[in-house]
């Protein structure tokens, strides 16, 4: 059987806030292309910290140190310029974050503007339509593209943020609790969207919602006290976890 090179690989990855405080401890895991991987664990276990290391967000803070390797298509991103990494790694946050001074149209194209990439008018229009269609938002907003993104509902705003992240055609899409601020109907729409999007982008999602992890992810990571306790097929983890700590978390005995 031919071995498949993972699209993303953590190799003994550590994240430290101070010399005395290690938030993520020697995590090693290989993420397959075109999958949804759920990152689960109690609050403060290091899952969001690990996620944010993938697009070098910690480089904004000089006191935070990231060690080991994080390889994207075989290249260690820790030795790359942040601007180059962020073109290849999109990010969607917990609360919808459309840029408040920008129109819907401008929000989708924000990554190109921030990176100094010029597009022709035709390319801009094609990119906006492609990205809004990919998040099932085009029909809802096509007649109001010059309106501010903040006028949209919460669920629509989050889909706009996903469209903005997809515009640069990233290899990886990072999502940090992307539905925790949304109502159940909007959450259902986002989950359905992610299942479709995994055909074009690999998704890592931090979630406290175990039902969500079970519904949409094919792989799951369970973290506890900064360590990766268990990583494998979601269905197997939920039905037959290897580690007692995983079992305790999934059965509600640890939270």
């Amino acid at each position: 059987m031919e071995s498949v090179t993972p699209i993303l690989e953590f190799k003994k990855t550590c994240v430290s806030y101070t010399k005395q405080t290690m938030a993520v401890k020697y995590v090693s895991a290989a993420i397959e292309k075109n999958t949804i991987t759920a990152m689960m664990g109690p609050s403060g276990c290091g899952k969001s910290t690990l996620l944010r290391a993938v697009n070098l967000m910690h480089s904004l803070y000089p006191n935070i140190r990231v060690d080991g390797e994080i390889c994207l298509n075989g290249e260690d991103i820790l030795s790359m310029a942040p601007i180059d990494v962020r073109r290849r790694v999109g990010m969607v946050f917990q609360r919808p974050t459309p840029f408040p001074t920008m129109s819907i149209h401008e929000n989708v194209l924000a990554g190109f503007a921030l990176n100094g990439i010029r597009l022709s008018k035709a390319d801009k229009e094609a990119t906006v339509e492609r990205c809004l269609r990919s998040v099932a938002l085009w029909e809802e907003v096509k007649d109001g593209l010059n309106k501010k993104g903040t006028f949209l509902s919460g669920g629509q705003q989050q889909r706009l943020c996903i469209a903005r992240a997809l515009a640069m055609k990233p290899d990886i899409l990072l999502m940090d609790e992307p539905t925790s601020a949304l109502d159940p109907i909007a959450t259902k729409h986002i989950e359905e969207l992610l299942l479709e999007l995994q055909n074009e982008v690999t998704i890592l999602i931090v979630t406290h919602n175990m039902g969500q992890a079970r519904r949409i992810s094919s792989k799951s990571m369970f973290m506890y006290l900064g360590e990766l306790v268990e990583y494998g097929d979601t269905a197997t983890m939920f039905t037959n976890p290897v580690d007692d700590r995983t079992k305790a978390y999934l059965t509600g005995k640890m939270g």
Side-chain angles (χ1 to χ4, degrees), residues 5-196:
T5 302
I7 190 170
L8 184 73
E9 190 168 11
F10 299 101
K11 296 182 178 181
K12 296 183 178 179
T13 304
C14 303
V15 183
S16 305
Y17 291 123
T18 68
K19 289 182 179 178
Q20 293 77 32
T21 308
M22 189 179 287
V24 172
K25 307 169 186 176
Y26 303 102
V27 169
S28 293
I31 309 298
E32 297 174 15
K33 188 175 182 179
N34 297 119
T35 56
I36 298 176
T37 299
M39 302 172 72
M40 301 182 295
S43 296
C45 70
K47 54 191 183 295
S48 290
T49 299
L50 179 62
L51 188 82
R52 290 171 184 231
V54 179
N55 74 338
L56 302 184
M57 283 193 70
H58 299 311
S59 65
L60 300 170
Y61 307 96
N63 59 308
I64 301 179
R65 179 184 173 98
V66 182
D67 294 299
E69 295 179 55
I70 303 175
C71 296
L72 179 59
N73 288 319
E75 295 180 77
D76 184 8
I77 65 170
L78 300 181
S79 61
M80 297 168 61
I83 192 169
D84 294 331
V85 172
R86 290 173 193 148
R87 287 174 184 168
R88 299 168 63 184
V89 181
M91 183 87 187
V92 177
F93 295 94
Q94 186 169 7
R95 293 190 173 276
T97 55
F99 296 126
T101 61
M102 292 185 181
S103 66
I104 295 169
H105 188 279
E106 291 167 333
N107 260 281
V108 176
L109 299 173
F112 295 94
L114 292 170
N115 284 279
I117 300 172
R118 292 180 177 274
L119 296 177
S120 68
K121 188 175 187 300
D123 284 342
K124 286 181 179 179
E125 303 311 314
T127 298
V128 169
E129 182 172 347
R130 170 180 64 82
C131 294
L132 291 176
R133 282 191 182 281
S134 73
V135 298
L137 196 56
W138 174 253
E139 293 298 330
E140 297 171 36
V141 302
K142 64 181 181 181
D143 296 324
L145 294 176
N146 292 321
K147 293 180 180 178
K148 296 286 190 289
T150 48
F151 285 106
L152 299 173
S153 70
Q156 288 175 320
Q157 286 186 29
Q158 194 65 303
R159 281 188 280 156
L160 175 60
C161 292
I162 296 170
R164 184 176 66 197
L166 292 174
M168 300 293 291
K169 295 185 177 179
D171 298 311
I172 301 281
L173 183 60
L174 309 176
M175 312 193 84
D176 195 354
E177 295 274 1
T179 61
S180 63
L182 304 180
D183 62 54
I185 293 175
T187 295
K188 182 175 182 287
H189 289 158
I190 295 292
E191 289 181 1
E192 291 170 349
L193 169 63
L194 298 185
L195 287 168
E196 293 177 12

